[in-house]
Amino acid sequence: MPTLRHDERWKRSVGARVVVDDRGGGVLRYYGNCKKTDDPSDHGKTMCGVELDDQTGLNDGCYGVWRYFTCDPGYGVFSPVTKVHFEAEYYSPHATAKRRADELQKQRRPPTAPGSADATRMKRLEAENRRLKARAKALVVGKKARPGSIKRQAAAADDETNHHEQRSSSAKGNRAYAERVIRDAAGSSVAGHRQSDAKERG
């Protein structure tokens, strides 16, 4: 919240050159309370309305349903006081050195510092990976157990097939043996009859 003295300085500086963070330079066209709607409950907030040098803005001087200044479309922007700087102060040696030091500090800072959002996200991903690995391991164990049962079923089927084949082979052997005995018996009977006939003729 700007102090009264700070607030008066900004009001007196309308028309001065300023620099907006991430937007570039421009001219301060408005300073004061900005409301987006005409709702009585919308108390608004203190903003700086700036007409930018380049078309890097968001509007043409309108904030919500209200117009606070006029400029070409895309050249206007409303920003909090903390993101707007007087141009002379922004490019002073002290401010320039401070910005460079801040940039170097950001570059040296690790991307996943302890307690940061990135570190929390990494921990969540690691926990998810551990859960997925455990699930995959359980599935692999289940798959390893299944071939054994399949092999046992196949072995049982083979045994039953072999048993049927053995029974079939045994039945075929018995039938062949019976046929051979019958043929031998028939042959013996014929030979006996022939010998009897020969004796009677003699």
Side-chain angles (χ1 to χ4, degrees), residues 64-126:
V65 299
W66 302 98
R67 176 173 293 280
Y68 293 93
F69 66 95
T70 301
C71 67
D72 293 333
Y75 284 84
V77 68
F78 289 87
S79 295
V81 184
T82 55
K83 293 187 177 182
V84 182
H85 318 275
F86 291 107
E87 190 175 73
E89 297 176 359
Y90 185 82
Y91 291 111
S92 66
H94 175 73
T96 302
K98 186 177 184 303
R99 283 197 304 276
R100 289 177 180 174
D102 292 341
E103 290 175 0
L104 289 173
Q105 186 67 23
K106 288 181 181 179
Q107 293 175 2
R108 293 173 183 172
R109 187 179 302 163
T112 55
S116 66
D118 292 334
T120 304
R121 191 177 301 110
M122 287 297 295
K123 289 181 179 179
R124 190 181 300 114
L125 290 174
E126 289 174 359

Side-chain angles (χ1 to χ4, degrees), residues 32-187:
N33 190 52
C34 295
K35 298 174 65 176
K36 280 190 174 182
T37 67
D38 55 0
D39 190 342
S41 62
D42 182 7
H43 300 293
K45 50 187 174 182
T46 302
M47 303 283 280
C48 292
V50 180
E51 181 181 359
L52 299 167
D53 298 335
D54 301 317
Q55 195 173 8
T56 57
L58 301 173
N59 50 63
D60 60 352
C62 287
Y63 186 76
V65 299
W66 302 98
R67 176 173 293 280
Y68 293 93
F69 66 95
T70 301
C71 67
D72 293 333
Y75 284 84
V77 68
F78 289 87
S79 295
V81 184
T82 55
K83 293 187 177 182
V84 182
H85 318 275
F86 291 107
E87 190 175 73
E89 297 176 359
Y90 185 82
Y91 291 111
S92 66
H94 175 73
T96 302
K98 186 177 184 303
R99 283 197 304 276
R100 289 177 180 174
D102 292 341
E103 290 175 0
L104 289 173
Q105 186 67 23
K106 288 181 181 179
Q107 293 175 2
R108 293 173 183 172
R109 187 179 302 163
T112 55
S116 66
D118 292 334
T120 304
R121 191 177 301 110
M122 287 297 295
K123 289 181 179 179
R124 190 181 300 114
L125 290 174
E126 289 174 359
E128 181 68 13
N129 287 336
R130 287 195 297 269
R131 187 182 68 81
L132 291 174
K133 286 180 180 179
R135 184 177 179 184
K137 185 176 180 181
L139 290 175
V140 169
V141 171
K143 287 181 179 179
K144 285 183 178 179
R146 288 172 187 166
S149 61
I150 294 174
K151 288 180 180 179
R152 287 193 296 273
Q153 293 175 4
D158 291 341
D159 291 342
E160 186 174 357
T161 302
N162 293 335
H163 179 66
H164 285 300
E165 289 179 353
Q166 289 175 0
R167 289 179 61 186
S168 176
S169 177
S170 178
K172 288 180 180 179
N174 293 336
R175 188 180 302 112
Y177 176 77
E179 290 176 354
R180 190 167 56 253
V181 169
I182 292 171
R183 283 197 303 270
D184 292 344

Side-chain angles (χ1 to χ4, degrees), residues 5-52:
R5 185 175 180 179
H6 188 264
D7 195 62
E8 289 298 327
R9 184 192 178 193
W10 279 100
K11 286 180 179 179
R12 290 196 306 267
S13 299
V14 172
R17 294 283 305 173
V18 294
V19 177
V20 183
D21 289 347
D22 302 326
R23 301 287 180 183
V27 179
L28 181 66
R29 295 300 186 192
Y30 175 82
Y31 174 81
N33 190 52
C34 295
K35 298 174 65 176
K36 280 190 174 182
T37 67
D38 55 0
D39 190 342
S41 62
D42 182 7
H43 300 293
K45 50 187 174 182
T46 302
M47 303 283 280
C48 292
V50 180
E51 181 181 359
L52 299 167

